[in-house]
Amino acid sequence: MTKARTLADFNTAGVLTSTSTINPANLDSTGTIPSALLAGVGGGDNTPYFLAYRSGNQTGLSGNGWREVICNGQDADSAGAYDNSTGRFTPQTAGYYQVQFVGSARDFGGSSTQSLQQVMYGIKKNGTGDPIAVNFVDLSVDNLTRFTSTVSTIVYLNGTTDFVSPYAYVVGNSFSIHGERQYTNFSAYKISE
């Protein structure tokens, strides 16, 4: 009987590092598990992927509705699937993707006494309807002028027309999105077929 293996028995290249018994039929001549057997068990290149950020404030966003955030700078884009003019990621490879948005809303309601009371960050699929993932905060006090938070989800994208993009919603005042990479960024990578 062959002993069941765990990923801890192999190094990152898929080479057996444990001396315990394994089914030799699953190994190649170098003692390595073929990549086809490792698919979906960890490893892989997780492409396509991208990392974008907001460069400069995105101003003039009106309150009381979902407003698309456009991350106009990029650190990485493995397949050219992110459009920094629209803020949308449209991968041409079907699969499940881990998507994350870090947003930072700032109040610019025209008065130094106005501040944020309710803020939501969301990720929408195909730009319509309600977001597929939301992070909501009800501050209940009128004393913050900026709020940064993260929302993430796993979503299936069809590899042709599906896209994801980040959104922000501020109750009441007009607002802007703070434009610095550590405060506002958007990223995704493929995790599975």
Side-chain angles (χ1 to χ4, degrees):
M1 178 176 199
T2 303
K3 180 181 173 184
R5 310 307 300 180
T6 67
L7 287 178
D9 294 323
F10 303 91
N11 66 19
T12 57
V15 176
L16 180 64
T17 57
S18 171
T19 58
S20 300
T21 307
I22 189 166
N23 184 349
N26 290 337
L27 301 177
D28 66 16
S29 62
T30 66
T32 302
I33 297 177
S35 61
L37 292 176
L38 287 175
V41 195
D45 61 7
N46 296 107
T47 58
Y49 61 84
F50 81 96
L51 172 60
Y53 59 91
R54 181 70 206 171
S55 173
N57 293 341
Q58 183 177 343
T59 60
L61 301 170
S62 59
N64 300 316
W66 287 106
R67 306 299 176 226
E68 194 164 18
V69 175
I70 299 173
C71 290
N72 57 354
Q74 290 177 318
D75 283 334
D77 188 0
S78 70
Y82 181 76
D83 184 337
N84 63 354
S85 65
T86 64
R88 297 175 178 181
F89 176 58
T90 312
Q92 298 303 294
T93 303
Y96 289 91
Y97 287 80
Q98 172 69 47
V99 183
Q100 176 175 288
F101 172 51
V102 177
S104 183
R106 300 179 70 171
D107 176 58
F108 289 94
S111 167
S112 61
T113 61
Q114 291 180 322
S115 51
L116 303 171
Q117 293 182 5
Q118 291 181 344
V119 180
M120 290 182 278
Y121 299 113
I123 297 169
K124 284 191 178 188
K125 180 178 177 179
N126 299 328
T128 59
D130 288 330
I132 57 174
V134 174
N135 185 330
F136 170 77
V137 65
D138 182 353
L139 302 170
S140 298
V141 291
D142 195 18
N143 63 357
L144 289 181
T145 57
R146 178 174 21 183
F147 179 72
T148 303
S149 189
T150 301
V151 61
S152 66
T153 192
I154 294 173
V155 61
Y156 181 82
L157 301 174
N158 66 15
T160 55
T161 58
D162 284 344
F163 66 89
V164 287
S165 50
Y167 282 76
Y169 188 121
V170 170
V171 173
N173 302 332
S174 62
F175 67 101
S176 74
I177 295 297
H178 189 73
E180 287 185 57
R181 108 183 340 101
Q182 68 269 33
Y183 294 114
T184 303
N185 57 75
F186 183 45
S187 61
Y189 58 92
K190 185 177 174 209
I191 57 172
S192 177
E193 295 295 323

